[in-house]
Amino acid sequence: MPNTLNQKPQDVYFFCTCLVDLFVPEAGLDALTLLEREGVRVHFPEDQTCCGQPAYTSGQPEEALAVARQQLDLFPQPWPIVLPSGSCAGMMRHHYPTLFAGTADAANAEAVAARVWELSEFLALVLDFNRPDSGAACTVALHTSCSARRETGALSATRALLQRLEGVTLKIQDHESECCGFGGMFSVRHPEISGGIVRDKVASIQACEADALITGDCGCMLNITGHAAKIGQPLNGKHLATFLLERTGGKTAATKDQS
């Protein structure tokens, strides 16, 4: 279950995740714009790096602890911590308490974990994001990462956000609940299995004939769209933040303001 808040906060911390920062920075910037447009002050700790998930899921808890420990003191105020990634949000919310158990940082880790929100949860449940849809009619397929499904409320929250867009129709792909095959180091250690999984995923998305693939996890998006492009069947993949901003006039408004 997601965390709870009694009222809309005025301030939040934004933890952009290393994958978004390095490979899909526009998704992070669009998420920032969405939050700020709802009247929330967004604070971006400059020293943030990785949440520690790659090492943790690779069976290297000591290395994960060293990386995660560098993040704990970045959030001194009792504000929500919003992440544009279900897998990273799941790591910080559910696994930090276990990772830091028995250490001097255990209490701080518990406090940080209790303030973590995946972006779609925060938009749907806290900010009640519901702006007029200014885009043309379209169909979309949804993919939520395995971690997002198990460890956050991203599936129901993202569906709710998409359903609030009048011109958007959600098509349920046959493999919607299945992994994309990425899994961080899994795809490196087991490339044949990973390749088979993503082939099935791409085929399922193509079969439902959606205009775009929407996801809240850029690792999954890059894996799925990368394979689709490799086999000559490109998919229009978009992070949820970018899609919501485009549909509700945010991109157009920002462009006009800069001209």
Side-chain angles (χ1 to χ4, degrees):
M1 294 293 292
N3 298 320
T4 57
L5 288 172
N6 294 325
Q7 58 185 8
K8 174 183 172 180
Q10 294 182 326
D11 298 84
V12 302
Y13 287 112
F14 189 74
F15 191 86
C16 77
T17 81
C18 47
L19 194 149
V20 169
D21 181 38
L22 295 172
F23 295 101
V24 198
E26 61 272 19
L29 293 171
D30 291 341
L32 283 169
T33 301
L34 286 174
L35 295 170
E36 290 176 340
R37 201 173 57 167
E38 297 303 304
V40 178
R41 286 189 295 267
V42 181
H43 303 262
F44 187 93
E46 293 289 342
D47 292 332
Q48 63 179 275
T49 56
C50 176
C51 68
Q53 183 188 43
Y56 187 74
T57 56
S58 297
Q60 299 174 318
E62 293 183 4
E63 289 81 356
L65 188 64
V67 175
R69 183 172 281 121
Q70 297 180 46
Q71 318 310 316
L72 285 186
D73 293 330
L74 300 178
F75 316 106
Q77 299 298 324
W79 302 328
I81 305 164
V82 181
L83 290 81
S85 165
S87 60
C88 297
M91 173 65 188
M92 294 179 72
R93 180 189 294 174
H94 292 282
H95 300 292
Y96 270 22
T98 300
L99 185 62
F100 285 94
T103 73
D105 297 306
N108 194 11
E110 291 273 2
V112 166
R115 292 188 282 131
V116 167
W117 288 83
E118 186 271 337
L119 178 66
S120 69
E121 294 178 322
F122 195 77
L123 290 173
L125 303 179
V126 179
L127 300 184
D128 193 24
F129 183 92
N130 192 10
R131 287 180 172 255
D133 183 4
S134 59
C138 73
T139 57
V140 300
L142 173 63
H143 172 78
T144 49
S145 72
C146 302
S147 295
R149 277 178 170 263
R150 295 192 308 268
E151 299 169 347
T152 77
L155 176 61
S156 58
T158 303
R159 282 181 173 174
L161 291 169
L162 294 175
Q163 289 169 356
R164 294 173 190 178
L165 300 172
E166 290 187 2
V168 175
T169 299
L170 175 62
K171 289 197 168 185
I172 306 300
Q173 45 150 320
D174 182 60
H175 284 52
E176 189 196 50
S177 64
E178 297 185 13
C179 177
C180 75
F182 176 49
M185 291 302 295
F186 173 82
S187 60
V188 177
R189 293 178 174 175
H190 306 284
E192 293 184 359
I193 299 175
S194 174
I197 295 172
V198 75
R199 281 195 295 273
D200 289 346
K201 174 66 73 170
V202 169
S204 174
I205 296 169
Q206 296 283 7
C208 78
E209 298 182 337
D211 298 315
L213 167 69
I214 307 303
T215 181
D217 281 88
C218 288
C220 298
M221 182 180 76
L222 293 173
N223 188 47
I224 295 170
T225 58
H227 178 75
K230 183 178 180 180
I231 63 174
Q233 299 178 11
L235 285 170
N236 179 23
K238 292 187 178 182
H239 188 278
L240 174 67
T242 297
F243 185 70
L244 289 177
L245 195 59
E246 289 176 347
R247 296 294 305 189
T248 58
K251 290 283 191 179
T252 302
T255 301
K256 289 181 178 178
D257 290 342
Q258 293 170 5
S259 61

